[in-house]
Amino acid sequence: MNSYGAGAAGAEPAVEWSVVGSAIGPLLLAATPAGLVSVAFHARPDVRDAALAHLRTRLGSEPVEAPGSERLAEPIRRLAAYFAGERQDFGLALDWSLTAGFHREVLRELESGVPYGTVVGYGELAARVNRPEGAQAVGAAMGSNPLPVVVPCHRVVESDGGLGGFGGGLETKRLLLALEGVLPQPLF
C-alpha cells in the first residue's frame, strides 16, 4: 500500500477526483501528485463510492472531490479529444501505484506497445513480457487495470478474434474499438 497520507492542514490533497461525461458514459478520474491514478467506468453513485473506497484503502488518504482540479484538467481535456476522434494517444503522467509486479509490467507494455487502432491477443501480450504461457495472467492484469481507456485494455482480444472480457462491459469495449476504427461503428 502506498501512503500518500492525509497531508497537513491547508496542504494540497493527496488524491483528487472528479466525474466527467464521455461518449461511453460517466468516468471517475482520480489523480495524485504523480499523475492520473484511476479511471472508473459507469461512475454512478454506487460505482463511485466503491472506487473511492478502493482509492482510500490502497492509497491511505481520503480522496477529495475537485472538479476544477489542475491535476485533472489535462486528463479531462485529452480524454475529450480522444472521444472526439482528435487524439490517438494520451501522453499523460501516470501514477502506477495501484498495480505492481507482473500486472504492472503487462500494463506498461500495453500502454507503450499497442497503439491506437490496433489490437493484440492475450497470448501475444504475454509473450511480449517474456511469459508466453501467461495468457490467463494477462487477462487478470487487464481485469485489474486501474487506468482503462488511457492504458488501453480494450485493445486486448482473444486469439480467435473474439472480444474477450472487459471491466467496462462488452458494449463499451465495442464502442472504444469502433472509435479507433478496429470495428465498424454501431448502426444505432
Side-chain angles (χ1 to χ4, degrees), residues 87-158:
R87 181 170 205 93
Q88 295 187 356
D89 59 51
F90 293 99
L92 293 168
L94 302 178
D95 180 337
W96 295 94
S97 300
L98 297 176
T99 187
F102 178 74
H103 286 196
R104 183 183 291 185
E105 184 179 0
V106 168
L107 292 171
R108 283 181 175 263
E109 172 60 28
L110 175 63
E111 193 261 339
S112 66
V114 183
Y116 183 96
T118 66
V119 293
V120 65
Y122 293 94
E124 181 185 338
L125 192 52
R128 288 186 187 189
V129 294
N130 299 314
R131 292 269 303 271
E133 75 293 344
Q136 285 186 317
V138 166
M142 297 305 103
S144 69
N145 180 5
L147 294 159
V149 182
V150 176
V151 176
C153 51
H154 60 278
R155 295 181 191 152
V156 183
V157 297
E158 295 175 344

Side-chain angles (χ1 to χ4, degrees), residues 5-73:
E12 188 175 359
V15 182
E16 295 179 344
W17 67 275
S18 184
V19 173
V20 299
S22 79
I24 57 171
L27 300 173
L28 182 143
L29 306 180
T32 68
L36 188 66
V37 72
S38 181
V39 176
F41 292 115
H42 314 298
R44 299 174 307 272
D46 58 326
V47 172
R48 181 198 66 217
D49 293 347
L52 294 173
H54 179 73
L55 289 168
R56 186 179 309 111
T57 300
R58 292 290 308 276
L59 300 178
S61 83
E62 184 64 36
V64 174
E65 187 173 13
S69 166
E70 283 188 40
R71 251 186 244 168
L72 293 169

